[in-house]
Amino acid sequence: MTHYDLLLIGTGSGNMFLDKRFKGLKTAIAEEWHFGGTCLNVGCIPTKMFVYPATLAEQAAQADRYNLSPTHPQIDWAGLQDRIFSRIDAIESGGRDYRSSDRQPNITVVTEHVHFTGQKSVRTASGEEITADRIVIAAGAHPVVPSIEGLDAARVDEADYPVFTSNTVMRRSGQPRRLVIIGSGIIAMEFAHVFSALGTEVTVLARGARLLGSIDAEAADEFTRIFDSSHSVLHGAQAKHIDVADGEVTLGLEPSGRLGEVDLPETITADGVLIATGRVPNTAELDVAAAGFDVTDGQRLAVDRHQRVLSAGAPVPGVFALGDICSPHQLKHVANHEAKIVGRNLDADVAAGQPGAAREDDLAAVNHHAVPGAVFSSPQVAYLGMSEQEAKGAGHDITVKVQQFSDVAYGWAMADDPGIVKIIADRQSRLILGASIVGHEASMLIQPLIQAMAFGQTADEVATGQYWIHPALPEVVENALLGLEFDD
């Protein structure tokens, strides 16, 4: 048995806080996978590095909308992969080497899976027992693989099996000619855009009528309308069985039951199937039940506002968590924020002496107000705060404005590209409660609204208290703000 002052499990955002404040602690880092976590290796960063060239290819193919001759770029799939992952892999190995080198003499990297055997103890896959005075759990989440007749779940993501998840889809050799995507959420919509724009014949299986069903209903409807107009989507469908033979996949389809009677083909055949049906925190894999830690209905590790892990509703002294394993928001920027909170509170905990001895007043609290997200599909989507349905459910007297991109001059320059800005505000306080943007560069356009919510600026103050560049596209946000109706 080896004892440490600090055990860190996971090296995504969890690797961020471990700085010179903790150089005096004998520390173990348990990482069985890639340094840098999901975002760096299989998530945010490489996907956007695929999205950008895919968007350029789509724009080239649709150039006739702008009175230009369309072109259909030839894709160098292997070259694209090499350009992306040569950079990603160098960062991953650099982070691993740094933590494993003589430059970090107080740190031991444990390159094995670990699982809890008690509140302050874990066992490695090879049987080593590790204990620690303090533990930070940042072990992330993993893709959900649904139960489908004929699907060999143990082989999903193996190189010779044509059914895969977001963990491996970007690194597979050879671009698939035909791809079926099971799912209609963020991951499904981003990869549907990437592969279809780069020339793959993509079919999306969506169980319901709306794509991106977790966002504001009106925004989801707008996205669905635009996306359906240029992509093959089978609504009300689900996979009944999967047959793999001769490198191909045949899916038997059946109605999901969400849309009543739907006209579906009996089967669909493809070169590969991407399962994109969500992600689940890695609490079961860590066996957190053995430690007695609380877990929510969504399988998230329960934490308080200081990111302290809870057991029977009370903080476990010296045990913290951050990121997808515990956060209600599976977003990298939220995990980064939580890592900063954990770093500050772990520092205070160490300074207090005994684990859990820090005073509440010395601990920082997490801020999950005005959390934004984005979908890098075509069109882009960005969202913030409450949906209209949530705002009404919370009892707010709301005012809502939906502004079309085609209402402003830059929208005309884009040949009236479709898109909307929707803003929800409280009629009495004039504060913005939420927003959704569907359309060109939505992820950038939403930033003034994030700032307004974060700093408590009223909607009319944001609209009239600053310059808006004319005729830039942010005028569509300005006009939406101006269109809100408030009580005098």
Side-chain angles (χ1 to χ4, degrees), residues 68-377:
L68 300 170
S69 297
T71 60
H72 296 274
Q74 298 299 306
I75 309 303
D76 177 4
W77 181 257
L80 182 62
Q81 287 180 310
D82 182 66
R83 177 172 64 81
I84 292 170
F85 289 110
S86 62
R87 174 172 289 192
I88 297 297
D89 293 346
I91 297 171
E92 190 277 341
S93 63
R96 181 182 297 275
D97 291 346
Y98 175 67
R99 291 301 193 194
S100 304
S101 70
D102 293 340
R103 290 176 291 173
Q104 301 270 279
N106 64 311
I107 292 177
T108 299
V109 176
V110 179
T111 58
E112 293 184 77
H113 177 74
V114 300
H115 67 272
F116 281 94
T117 56
Q119 285 194 343
K120 297 291 184 71
S121 62
V122 300
R123 180 180 296 121
T124 71
S126 62
E128 180 187 0
E129 295 285 341
I130 293 175
T131 59
D133 295 327
R134 294 174 174 87
I135 299 177
V136 175
I137 307 168
H142 64 273
V144 172
V145 177
S147 177
I148 302 173
E149 180 185 343
L151 176 65
D152 188 345
R155 295 187 62 195
V156 171
D157 282 329
E158 290 186 355
D160 62 346
Y161 194 64
V163 183
F164 34 83
T165 72
S166 57
N167 278 355
T168 62
V169 63
M170 291 177 285
R171 290 181 183 261
R172 295 186 75 88
S173 61
Q175 180 184 355
R177 184 171 61 86
R178 300 162 300 170
L179 178 67
V180 174
I181 298 178
I182 301 176
S184 59
I186 294 173
I187 295 172
M189 292 301 96
E190 291 190 346
F191 280 118
H193 166 51
V194 166
F195 281 98
S196 62
L198 295 179
T200 295
E201 181 184 314
V202 174
T203 302
V204 175
L205 303 186
R207 299 183 68 196
R210 289 189 180 113
L211 306 174
L212 300 180
S214 63
I215 68 171
D216 180 272
E218 190 170 7
D221 286 342
E222 176 74 0
F223 175 85
T224 302
R225 181 185 67 81
I226 299 171
F227 191 89
D228 280 4
S229 68
S230 57
H231 297 82
S232 176
V233 182
L234 298 178
H235 289 278
Q238 64 185 22
K240 181 179 181 180
H241 61 81
I242 289 180
D243 296 314
V244 176
D246 301 324
E248 289 188 335
V249 188
T250 300
L251 288 87
L253 304 182
E254 65 180 359
S256 67
R258 294 188 179 182
L259 300 182
E261 292 293 326
V262 289
D263 185 17
L264 299 172
E266 288 187 7
T267 63
I268 185 170
T269 300
D271 305 304
V273 173
L274 170 62
I275 296 176
T277 51
R279 294 173 61 83
V280 63
N282 288 323
T283 45
E285 287 70 20
L286 289 182
D287 195 10
V288 299
F293 299 150
D294 295 344
V295 176
T296 70
D297 290 341
Q299 300 183 50
R300 290 184 285 110
L301 200 58
V303 295
D304 67 6
R305 65 193 189 101
H306 305 300
Q307 297 299 131
R308 296 178 297 188
V309 172
L310 302 179
S311 177
V316 180
V319 181
F320 299 85
L322 64 96
D324 290 357
I325 198 161
C326 65
S327 180
H329 307 279
Q330 289 192 358
L331 296 165
K332 175 63 171 175
H333 42 277
V334 175
N336 287 350
H337 166 69
E338 292 171 355
K340 292 177 183 177
I341 298 301
V342 167
R344 289 176 59 183
N345 291 342
L346 181 63
D347 187 32
D349 195 68
V350 171
Q354 288 294 106
R359 297 186 309 118
E360 292 279 326
D361 291 346
D362 292 334
L363 299 178
V366 72
N367 177 9
H368 286 156
H369 175 64
V371 173
V375 187
F376 294 83
S377 184

